[in-house]
């Protein structure tokens, strides 16, 4: 699941994922991300942090709460953000994200993340 509000970033991330042989569903904001995770299983969630309506940190908290309430295994959630400071990474991890990659997303960073969290077919 690719959670990204910016169409240019969506297009770029989808191209990179395609180059790695991956398919993704797009959610445009945190609300859509929560609904998508509740509707069907995903191997991985790539979550933008700064989005209108509901940011990625809040969406992650809601997803983790829903998973716990419904005894679902936690889906790996990886932040994708231009905020690359150590404290930004710590905030992402503190709300339940599994990792953090910076924007602009580089192909090798994405490949490494996919191999780590969703190794099937990468």
């Amino acid at each position: 699941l690719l959670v990204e509000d910016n169409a240019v970033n969506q297009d770029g991330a989808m191209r990179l994922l395609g180059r790695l042989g991956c398919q993704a569903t797009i959610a445009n904001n945190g609300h859509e991300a929560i609904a998508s995770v509740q509707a069907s299983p995903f191997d991985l969630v790539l979550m933008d942090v700064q989005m209108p309506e509901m940011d990625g940190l809040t969406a992650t908290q809601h997803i983790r709460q829903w998973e716990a309430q419904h005894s679902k295994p936690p889906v790996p959630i990886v932040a994708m953000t231009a905020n690359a400071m150590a404290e930004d990474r710590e905030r992402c991890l503190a709300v339940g994200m599994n990792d953090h990659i910076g924007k602009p997303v580089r192909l090798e960073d994405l490949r490494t993340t996919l191999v780590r969290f969703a190794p099937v077919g990468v």
Side-chain angles (χ1 to χ4, degrees), residues 82-103:
N83 298 336
M85 303 294 287
E87 52 270 7
D88 296 315
R89 184 176 195 287
E90 292 304 317
R91 284 187 330 140
C92 292
L93 297 176
V95 299
M97 291 182 174
N98 300 88
D99 205 354
H100 174 284
I101 57 176
K103 287 182 182 176

Side-chain angles (χ1 to χ4, degrees), residues 3 10 12 19 29 37 39 45 49 65 67 77 83 93 98 105 109 111 120:
V3 186
Q10 286 176 356
R19 287 178 60 189
N29 59 54
V37 167
V45 176
V49 173
Q65 289 169 356
E67 290 169 336
I77 300 176
N83 298 336
L93 297 176
N98 300 88
V105 177
D109 292 340
R111 182 189 321 272
V120 177

Side-chain angles (χ1 to χ4, degrees), residues 33-34 37-38 42-45 47 56-79 92-99 117:
I34 295 165
V37 167
Q38 291 175 350
F42 289 94
D43 296 321
L44 175 73
V45 176
M47 180 81 74
L57 300 173
T58 303
T60 297
Q61 291 173 315
H62 284 281
I63 290 168
R64 295 300 187 223
Q65 289 169 356
W66 179 82
E67 290 169 336
Q69 290 169 349
H70 293 87
S71 301
K72 300 285 185 183
V75 63
I77 300 176
V78 176
C92 292
L93 297 176
V95 299
M97 291 182 174
N98 300 88
D99 205 354
F117 293 106

